[in-house]
Amino acid sequence: MNIENKDLSISELIEKYTDMVYRIAFSRTQNVYDAQDITQDVFLKYIKYTQAGNVFREEEHRKAWLLKVAVNTGNTFVKTAWARHRASLTEVGEMAQSMEEKSEVYYAVMELPEKYRIPIHLFYFEELSIKEIAGILKMSETAVKSRLHRAREMLKDKLKEADYEF
């Protein structure tokens, strides 16, 4: 086991990965409050997981685990009756204010259908490989490549409509 992993306290872990987990949750829910709840759930799951004696071999393994749990927790949340049967409490502009990325590209990404938005987010914002994304989303690498290609085409069209300069 890497000493760096052993010495990483819960507060250091939360400080290091909160933004990443929150961005995934927000990308999934497009709601600040739901994303905050999911982020808390992910870190609670991490605490339970490590208290059960589970360890991470390396920092990349820990990061991948957190991303996968964030995606799965977000998926579970949006499938609940509560999430399906309520209106969003916040406008898209207000939600995006809490995010660091405020460019036209970011807004265009957030308008993509979810099945394209999540792979794009993982690939460009979290800088994961196609193989890592496939593992997290439980898809084939070919399916991930296909969704990334389609999402890029959709983004190109959206950004051309907005007269975005490439």
Side-chain angles (χ1 to χ4, degrees):
M1 174 175 23
N2 188 337
I3 294 175
E4 175 187 6
N5 295 339
K6 187 175 184 179
D7 294 336
L8 196 62
S9 72
I10 296 297
S11 60
E12 291 170 327
L13 174 95
I14 290 170
E15 184 176 326
K16 183 174 183 177
Y17 290 113
T18 295
D19 289 342
M20 176 191 74
V21 171
Y22 177 81
R23 286 190 305 261
I24 293 295
F26 182 81
S27 181
R28 183 68 172 101
T29 63
Q30 294 191 328
N31 181 292
V32 171
Y33 307 108
D34 295 337
Q36 290 170 344
D37 288 345
I38 290 167
T39 301
Q40 287 180 341
D41 286 347
V42 168
F43 288 109
L44 287 173
K45 288 176 183 181
Y46 175 85
I47 291 167
K48 288 178 185 177
Y49 183 77
T50 56
Q51 285 180 343
N54 298 299
V55 293
F56 295 95
R57 294 179 305 275
E58 54 193 32
E59 196 60 30
E60 285 303 312
H61 182 233
R62 181 193 325 259
K63 180 180 177 181
W65 187 92
L66 287 167
L67 284 167
K68 187 169 190 161
V69 172
V71 168
N72 290 341
T73 304
N75 288 343
T76 301
F77 175 81
V78 297
K79 290 177 184 174
T80 64
W82 164 256
R84 286 192 321 257
H85 295 103
R86 67 177 175 81
S88 176
L89 298 175
T90 334
E91 296 297 322
V92 172
E94 185 179 318
M95 289 185 289
Q97 286 178 354
S98 67
M99 302 298 285
E100 290 178 21
E101 305 86 2
K102 292 184 178 178
S103 68
E104 289 179 56
V105 175
Y106 174 76
Y107 290 117
V109 168
M110 293 310 292
E111 291 176 4
L112 289 174
E114 177 186 318
K115 73 181 195 174
Y116 301 114
R117 185 174 62 241
I118 299 296
I120 283 285
H121 181 88
L122 291 172
F123 189 77
Y124 289 104
F125 294 106
E126 302 305 329
E127 299 177 351
L128 296 180
S129 70
I130 290 173
K131 184 177 183 176
E132 291 170 318
I133 296 168
I136 289 169
L137 298 179
K138 298 178 186 172
M139 307 170 71
S140 70
E141 290 181 38
T142 304
V144 171
K145 288 178 187 177
S146 176
R147 287 195 181 174
L148 285 171
H149 175 75
R150 288 184 187 130
R152 287 181 193 116
E153 291 299 315
M154 295 168 91
L155 285 171
K156 193 161 75 171
D157 292 342
K158 284 180 183 288
L159 294 171
K160 278 184 181 177
E161 287 174 18
D163 290 328
Y164 182 79
E165 293 185 30
F166 291 93

